[in-house]
Amino acid sequence: MQAVVYKGKGQIRVEERPVPVIQDPKDALVQVTMTTICSSDIHIRHGAVPGAVPGVILGHEFVGRVVETGSAVTNVKPGDRVAVNVETFCGECFFCKRGFVNNCTDPQGGWALGCRIDGGQAEYVRIPFADNGLTRIPDHVSDEQALFNGDLLSTGYWAAKLGEIKTGDTVTVIGAGPAGLCTMLCARLYAPSCILAIDTDPYRLSLAKEKGLADITLVPGKDPAEKVIRELTEGRGADVVIEAAGGKDTFQLAWKMARPNANVVIEAMYEESQTLPLPEMYGKNLVFKTGGVDGCYCQEIMDLTAEGKLDASFLITHRCGFADIMKAYEVFEKKEDHVIKYAITF
């Protein structure tokens, strides 16, 4: 089968690989029908993810059809259409039992797919702990509607939940890339009074406005973001700030825009260390919540998608077959042609 393989820092290429096989009774074998490229794949390509293993097949955001299951798998069966969770998790360890599945202590647990074990930018993929990591797709939900269930929508849903958004809150989302747009989409579920979106890309901001995800859009360096948020909130600042950009100065902007006693959620993955200027923020009494997504809400997200309350398919701006995936990588990384997300089919 054809697969995109990480060869080491700066190197990925399409290679011929054997079709994977069931290795454990809890495994399932999935035929991938649609996959995509994530910014995390770009981080791996740059060598910015220390846990990424050279030789691994990339891809952790995809949908497919079950072709085989291990003897212990009970929630899915061959023929089921499924969305795949970004994380594999045992469900039994200390962290899994508390919902912190990103920190699953099993050797194949946490963010393993496309990082430490072979992922879904391939024709077939083995999914460990399939009962936990696969979500059945209802017949009336398309592959494109389900594509982001296990990663982007899980990330946005998780970040909005961490923010503890309340009805009437003012929410600032820094970054209108795929993760930021999904975060705004999920934040709307909590009925905030206002969502501000901040990004350097006017096209992405216009998309956020067009889709009803943001009420106000701001461009750093052009718009006085801190001044706008204070004028909007009688000088207080945002009730919740979610940092989804991971830029050079976005962490600093996040805490500065937050009101005292606010929640600041760090959703972004940084390639450089960030500074926490405690003397400057003394007295603001901020709560910082950080880390990788705990992707354990996939069924809730699928239910909301089936009910028409969540639909992230608008993120798909480009489509291609797997034969053109390397070109798609270049377009996606360079953010050419106003790309947001690719839908790559087999």
Side-chain angles (χ1 to χ4, degrees):
M1 69 175 186
Q2 294 283 292
V4 178
V5 179
Y6 170 58
K7 304 300 290 183
K9 185 176 180 179
Q11 301 179 61
I12 62 171
R13 65 170 176 250
V14 175
E15 291 185 350
E16 188 71 24
R17 286 292 189 89
V19 174
V21 297
I22 298 292
Q23 297 179 14
D24 183 276
K26 296 180 181 180
D27 288 351
L29 182 63
V30 172
Q31 181 180 15
V32 180
T33 54
M34 184 175 289
T35 189
T36 189
I37 301 166
C38 179
S39 58
S40 299
D41 297 320
I42 305 301
H43 289 303
I44 290 175
R45 185 182 196 175
H46 290 172
V49 180
V53 177
V56 75
I57 296 172
L58 293 176
H60 54 269
E61 192 167 33
F62 54 100
V63 296
R65 191 176 300 276
V66 177
V67 295
E68 185 182 355
T69 60
S71 59
V73 176
T74 59
N75 290 346
V76 295
K77 64 183 184 305
D80 284 348
R81 295 172 59 233
V82 290
V84 181
N85 195 319
V86 62
E87 290 152 344
T88 53
F89 57 99
C90 70
E92 299 296 331
C93 70
F94 175 91
F95 294 108
C96 282
K97 287 180 177 178
R98 289 159 176 78
F100 307 137
V101 300
N102 184 50
N103 303 110
C104 175
T105 56
D106 187 274
Q108 297 185 101
W111 177 29
L113 282 172
C115 182
R116 293 183 282 113
I117 64 175
D118 288 339
Q121 288 174 13
E123 296 175 68
Y124 294 89
V125 61
R126 179 185 68 90
I127 306 297
F129 307 114
D131 277 345
N132 299 330
L134 297 178
T135 306
R136 289 193 302 274
I137 303 172
D139 290 342
H140 68 283
V141 174
S142 70
D143 277 6
E144 291 195 356
Q145 288 175 307
L147 180 59
F148 306 121
N149 175 278
D151 186 17
L152 267 182
L153 269 174
S154 283
T155 298
Y157 197 78
W158 166 82
K161 187 179 285 283
L162 282 187
E164 300 179 34
I165 301 167
K166 298 177 177 61
T167 300
D169 274 354
T170 298
V171 178
T172 296
V173 178
I174 302 174
L181 290 168
C182 273
T183 299
M184 297 174 215
L185 180 66
C186 294
R188 281 290 183 210
L189 297 171
Y190 296 90
S193 63
C194 183
I195 295 178
L196 293 89
I198 301 176
D199 201 280
T200 57
D201 187 331
Y203 172 78
R204 295 185 172 193
L205 291 176
S206 67
L207 183 63
K209 202 75 176 287
E210 174 193 331
K211 297 298 179 180
L213 308 182
D215 302 292
I216 298 172
T217 60
L218 302 169
V219 178
K222 176 183 176 183
D223 301 312
E226 291 181 59
K227 180 181 178 181
V228 170
I229 189 66
R230 300 201 184 285
E231 289 177 349
L232 187 68
T233 58
E234 299 178 341
R236 294 187 301 273
D239 299 296
V240 179
V241 178
I242 302 176
E243 210 291 78
K248 183 178 179 181
D249 301 313
T250 50
F251 175 78
Q252 301 301 324
L253 180 61
W255 74 260
K256 288 178 180 178
M257 293 193 73
R259 66 161 169 78
N261 306 287
N263 285 326
V264 180
V265 178
I266 307 301
E267 175 184 353
M269 178 184 288
Y270 297 102
E271 292 193 358
E272 297 178 351
S273 298
Q274 303 296 306
T275 300
L276 193 67
L278 294 176
E280 296 174 48
M281 62 175 63
Y282 184 78
K284 288 198 77 169
N285 301 340
L286 298 173
V287 176
F288 286 89
K289 300 186 178 184
T290 71
V293 55
D294 285 308
C296 53
Y297 305 107
C298 288
Q299 188 59 59
E300 292 179 28
I301 294 167
M302 189 64 76
D303 291 343
L304 289 166
T305 301
E307 294 167 10
K309 296 178 181 178
L310 283 179
D311 188 349
S313 60
F314 72 90
L315 294 173
I316 298 172
T317 54
H318 292 62
R319 296 167 177 83
C320 70
F322 186 78
D324 295 318
I325 193 169
M326 295 309 293
K327 174 62 177 175
Y329 256 98
E330 297 309 312
V331 172
F332 183 76
E333 180 169 359
K334 294 175 182 177
K335 299 180 181 178
E336 296 175 345
D337 194 31
H338 297 307
V339 64
I340 301 293
K341 291 289 284 189
Y342 262 91
I344 301 164
T345 52
F346 287 87

